[in-house]
């Protein structure tokens, strides 16, 4: 919005240069310029027109750059929002898989304990009560 206001003001300024007396090829008749050759006035007018064209081109490039900057700023804001969303969802996924991993480890440990317990019970049942005390001592059941 600010750059369009500045563009309008600058365009008015450039238009006013073309309409000012003394800036046209003939010059002012009451300024006493009839002694100067017309080619010098034409040369100066050509230089002014060249500078005016360059300035108009520079303003157009500047406004295009401002527009591009605004587009880049909007895209960077969108990317920042997406990065924040990605970070949040990745933490949630990480937390979910950590819980799944803990559940799996608890399940495997429980199965191992049950298997060990079953093996110990089978050994205790198969060992006669009056047999070797060393076996019982090894099993910590005495």
């Amino acid at each position: 919005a600010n750059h369009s206001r500045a563009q309008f003001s600058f365009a008015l300024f450039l238009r006013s240069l073309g309409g000012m007396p003394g800036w046209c090829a003939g010059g002012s008749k009451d300024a006493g310029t009839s002694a100067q050759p017309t080619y010098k006035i034409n040369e100066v007018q050509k230089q002014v027109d060249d500078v005016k064209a360059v300035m108009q081109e520079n303003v157009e490039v500047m406004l295009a750059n401002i527009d591009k900057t605004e587009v880049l700023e909007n895209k960077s804001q969108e990317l920042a929002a997406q990065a924040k969303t990605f970070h949040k969802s990745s933490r949630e996924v990480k937390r979910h898989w950590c819980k799944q991993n803990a559940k799996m480890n608890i399940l495997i440990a429980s199965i191992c304990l049950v298997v060990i317990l079953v093996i110990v019970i089978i050994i205790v049942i198969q060992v006669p009560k009056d047999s070797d005390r060393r076996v019982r001592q090894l099993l910590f059941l005495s």
Side-chain angles (χ1 to χ4, degrees):
N2 289 338
H3 71 276
S4 61
R5 201 176 302 145
Q7 180 184 16
F8 179 72
S9 299
F10 190 72
L12 286 179
F13 170 72
L14 291 177
R15 284 191 196 123
S16 69
L17 288 179
M20 290 178 60
W23 286 81
C24 58
S28 176
K29 292 190 178 175
D30 53 11
T33 59
S34 60
Q36 290 184 352
T38 308
Y39 74 91
K40 284 188 177 180
I41 294 173
N42 288 339
E43 185 180 325
V44 170
Q45 181 63 43
K46 184 180 180 311
Q47 289 175 351
V48 168
D49 290 341
D50 291 344
V51 169
K52 181 179 171 184
V54 169
M55 289 302 294
Q56 285 177 336
E57 184 179 329
N58 288 343
V59 167
E60 289 173 7
V61 168
M62 178 189 70
L63 293 174
N65 288 341
I66 288 173
D67 290 340
K68 289 178 184 177
T69 303
E70 289 174 353
V71 168
L72 286 175
E73 184 179 340
N74 290 338
K75 285 183 180 181
S76 68
Q77 288 174 352
E78 290 174 15
L79 283 174
Q82 289 175 356
K84 187 176 181 180
T85 303
F86 175 77
H87 183 67
K88 182 179 177 183
S89 63
S90 66
R91 280 188 298 173
E92 291 174 0
V93 168
K94 181 181 177 183
R95 202 173 295 130
H96 169 76
W97 285 110
C98 282
K99 288 179 183 177
Q100 288 294 99
N101 191 24
K103 288 177 186 177
M104 189 60 68
N105 287 339
I106 290 172
L107 179 66
I108 290 172
S110 299
I111 290 172
C112 288
L113 284 175
V114 168
V115 168
I116 291 172
L117 188 63
V118 167
I119 291 172
V120 168
I121 289 174
I122 289 173
I123 291 174
V124 168
I125 290 175
Q126 286 183 355
V127 173
K129 294 194 180 210
D130 294 333
S131 70
D132 193 21
R133 289 186 180 180
R134 285 188 214 166
V135 174
R136 288 184 182 255
Q137 288 175 347
L138 288 175
L139 295 176
F140 304 108
L141 297 174
S142 59

